[in-house]
Amino acid sequence: MSGLKHHYVAIVDDDESVCRSLGRLLGTAGFQPVTYLSAEAFLDDTKRPRFDCLVLDIQLEGITGLELR
């Protein structure tokens, strides 16, 4: 391996188009985006990487972004 560190960014938003757009934007900037359509999906992902950053919609259905933080 070349020793490159991946910078993972979690995007949690219930709007699929927002997830897709932010994922593409962050990907072109060299980040490794991982998108989730709910806080529950984020929490249920047992194989998620260690994230360097979390982009979070605070007005989610179910568990809100404020509750997730």
Side-chain angles (χ1 to χ4, degrees):
M1 291 274 328
S2 63
L4 292 178
K5 179 174 176 0
H6 294 284
H7 294 283
Y8 289 96
V9 177
I11 302 166
V12 183
D13 197 302
D14 52 4
D15 185 329
E16 191 172 347
S17 65
V18 169
C19 282
R20 188 173 43 251
S21 297
L22 282 174
R24 286 181 185 157
L25 177 66
L26 291 168
T28 60
F31 295 97
Q32 300 293 316
V34 181
T35 61
Y36 301 92
L37 293 175
S38 69
E40 291 84 357
F42 173 79
L43 293 172
D44 289 343
D45 183 3
T46 59
K47 296 184 185 208
R48 69 179 180 248
R50 181 168 182 201
F51 291 107
D52 297 292
C53 181
L54 175 63
V55 178
L56 180 61
D57 180 358
I58 61 170
Q59 295 182 336
L60 296 167
E61 294 292 323
I63 298 173
T64 68
L66 291 176
E67 294 169 327
L68 180 62
R69 65 169 178 86

